[in-house]
Amino acid sequence: MEDYTKEQIELAHQNVQQLIHIVHSLEQTFKGRHFTLDGHLVGSIGEVLASYHYGIKLYEASTAIHDGEALDGRKVQIKMTQGDTIVISERPDYLIALYMDRKTGEVQEIYNGPGEIPYMKSYEYKKHNNRYMSVSMLCREDSGITLNERIPVIHEIRKLKKPFHKVRNSKKHGLMPTTDTGYINKNNQENCGITGLEGTHSGQKLYQMKCRECGYSYEANGCDIWLRRCSKCQA
C-alpha cells in the first residue's frame, strides 16, 4: 500500500473541485445536457480517500469483490456515490460507503460495517443484474453498527447526516424522505401515501403510487419508491 499523505489528499480534493467546476461550466454552456462524474473516476477517488482515512491497503485495480484490507486484515469493499443509491454487486466481508457532494466535492462516510447487512437488504434490479440500496436506508443500517464492527478511522472523516432524496417536479420545495406522501421520484411517479398493507419484501409496507404521466395507480414497497416506473406506460 502506498501511504498517501495529507498533502496528496488535499491536492486530490482541489483537483476534484476543478472537475466539478468544469462539469458546471459544460452544463451551463450546453443547456439540457448532463456531464456527470461517475464510473471508474469516482470509484478510484473513493478508493484513494478510503485508503487514507482508514489505512486500507489497496489491492490491484479491478480485483473481484474486495478493494483492499484494513490494518487488522479485514477485507473491505469500497463504494462512493454522488447520487442517492449505491450498487452492491457482491457480498463483501466489510463495506465502506462514501458520499461525495456534487457541489463542493466534500466526502463523507455513509456506512462502515459488515457487508452482509446491506447486501441482504438491498434491492435486486434484474434488468441490470445488480443490487441497489438507497443512501437513506444505508445510513439507517449504519446507525446500528457497533464500534467493534467498524473499520477504525485513522484520519478523521465526517459522517453523512440526513440523506434525503430531492423532491422532483413537486409544488413542495427542499428535501424529503421517499416514504413521505407527496414525494415524486426521478421517473415522475408520486407517493400518495402508505396503505398499511404488508409489502412483498421483508419488513416493508406497501405505498400507493400514481404515475403523473398517465394517471395509473399501483402499489410499491417502500424501499422501491425511489426507482419505480409506471407498469402501464413505462414512464
Side-chain angles (χ1 to χ4, degrees):
M1 177 190 72
E2 180 178 350
D3 293 325
Y4 299 117
T5 65
K6 181 179 180 180
E7 290 71 23
Q8 286 177 305
I9 297 303
E10 289 177 347
L11 179 60
H13 182 64
Q14 293 172 14
N15 289 336
V16 168
Q17 289 179 315
Q18 291 178 19
L19 289 171
I20 291 173
H21 177 75
I22 291 170
V23 167
H24 178 73
S25 178
L26 287 169
E27 291 182 341
Q28 290 297 310
T29 302
F30 303 99
K31 299 291 186 180
R33 312 313 302 170
H34 299 292
F35 299 83
T36 57
L37 300 177
D38 53 20
H40 289 294
L41 176 60
V42 170
S44 293
I45 294 171
E47 291 168 7
V48 167
L49 293 177
S51 176
Y52 174 76
H53 287 290
Y54 304 91
I56 294 173
K57 177 182 178 182
L58 296 176
Y59 296 151
E60 291 294 325
S62 301
T63 298
I65 305 179
H66 298 101
D67 298 299
E69 59 184 63
L71 295 175
D72 58 8
R74 284 182 285 180
K75 295 181 178 180
V76 183
Q77 184 180 95
I78 302 164
K79 294 289 185 180
M80 188 161 78
T81 183
Q82 289 182 290
D84 47 20
T85 61
I86 68 164
V87 178
I88 309 174
S89 301
E90 305 91 2
R91 188 199 309 248
D93 291 355
Y94 286 85
L95 173 69
I96 289 177
L98 306 175
Y99 178 83
M100 184 168 73
D101 190 283
R102 291 179 182 272
K103 295 182 179 180
T104 66
E106 181 185 7
V107 173
Q108 301 173 64
E109 182 187 271
I110 304 171
Y111 180 88
N112 177 358
E116 183 176 10
I117 297 172
Y119 179 82
M120 295 302 295
K121 294 188 177 183
S122 59
Y123 170 78
E124 185 176 4
Y125 193 31
K126 294 183 178 180
K127 182 177 180 181
H128 296 154
N129 197 32
N130 279 324
R131 303 178 74 91
Y132 296 81
M133 193 171 196
S134 71
V135 170
S136 294
M137 290 184 66
L138 201 53
C139 279
R140 287 197 292 271
E141 294 300 331
D142 180 82
S143 65
I145 302 300
T146 66
L147 182 62
N148 289 337
E149 292 176 308
R150 298 185 184 279
I151 303 299
V153 175
I154 63 173
H155 293 110
E156 184 180 3
I157 183 170
R158 290 181 59 193
K159 198 74 175 175
L160 181 64
K161 302 295 184 182
K162 298 182 179 179
F164 294 136
H165 294 234
K166 292 184 178 180
V167 178
R168 303 174 188 270
N169 303 320
S170 174
K171 293 180 180 179
K172 295 183 179 181
H173 299 283
L175 302 173
M176 67 191 304
T178 60
T179 51
D180 274 11
T181 300
Y183 170 82
I184 300 170
N185 74 13
K186 59 185 178 181
N187 301 316
N188 213 17
Q189 307 298 300
E190 182 177 358
N191 176 2
C192 297
I194 192 169
T195 66
L197 300 175
E198 294 296 323
T200 58
H201 294 332
S202 176
Q204 294 293 310
K205 296 292 185 180
L206 288 178
Y207 288 75
Q208 191 68 44
M209 302 291 293
K210 180 179 180 181
C211 177
R212 291 168 63 91
E213 300 292 331
C214 71
Y216 182 68
S217 295
Y218 58 94
E219 295 173 344
N221 292 304
C223 63
D224 298 338
I225 292 173
W226 67 274
L227 52 57
R228 278 305 303 262
R229 291 183 178 272
C230 177
S231 57
K232 183 176 182 180
C233 73
Q234 299 300 311

